[in-house]
Amino acid sequence: AFSVVSKLLSQRKLDLLEELVSAEVLQVLKEKISLLPDSHRDALAADIDAIMYTTEGDVRIYYDDDGRKFVSILMCFWYLNGANLPDEVPGEAKVFQIVFGDENTKEKKHLLTANYEFQREFTEGAKPDWTITRIEHPRLLE
C-alpha cells in the first residue's frame, strides 16, 4: 500500500486515493502537493524494491464513543529514491546520499523516510478495509 500510494502522490493522481486515504488526509495532501517543486514530488515515490527497512512505530486498539472497535498501526519506511534533490532540503535537514557503481556509471540515491498510519474498524459487521489516516514524508511534505 505504501508503494502504491506514494507513487500516486508523486504523479498527482489524488483522485485514485479516495478509497485508500481518509477524506481529511486527502484534503491536506491536495493542498501540499500543489505547492511542491517537481524534485520533491518525484522523491515521494517509493518503488517496492527500493524499500530498505520498515518497522511499526505504534500499534493502538481503541473504542470510540459508540463502542466501535478500531486498530491503528503507524508504519515507518526507509526507501531509496533517485530524485534530483539538493544536499540540504528545507529545514536544514540532511538527506543521506548513497552512490552506486564505479566512476563511469555511478548513480546517486537518497535514503528517505515516510510514516503512514493505517486504520481499520474491527466492529462486528464493519467492512474489512484499511484506510490511511496519516501520511508524512519528512523534509518533503511539510
Side-chain angles (χ1 to χ4, degrees), residues 10 27 41 95 99 108 138:
S10 176
Q27 184 58 42
R41 202 182 74 245
V95 174
V99 178
K108 184 169 69 171

Side-chain angles (χ1 to χ4, degrees), residues 77-95:
F77 301 92
W78 284 261
Y79 64 101
L80 291 174
N81 183 287
N84 187 21
L85 292 173
D87 290 345
E88 298 292 327
V89 293
E92 299 180 9
K94 183 70 177 164
V95 174

Side-chain angles (χ1 to χ4, degrees), residues 33-99:
I33 294 289
S34 66
L35 302 173
L36 284 182
D38 288 345
S39 61
H40 285 117
R41 202 182 74 245
D42 293 344
L44 296 174
D47 288 327
I48 192 126
D49 294 335
I51 299 171
M52 299 287 98
Y53 184 73
T54 63
T55 187
E56 68 281 345
D58 188 26
V59 177
R60 295 182 296 134
I61 300 172
Y62 60 96
Y63 295 86
D64 70 4
D65 293 337
D66 298 324
R68 297 183 309 167
K69 183 178 183 178
F70 294 88
V71 172
S72 177
I73 303 172
L74 177 64
M75 292 296 300
C76 306
F77 301 92
W78 284 261
Y79 64 101
L80 291 174
N81 183 287
N84 187 21
L85 292 173
D87 290 345
E88 298 292 327
V89 293
E92 299 180 9
K94 183 70 177 164
V95 174
F96 295 99
Q97 295 180 10
I98 301 169
V99 178

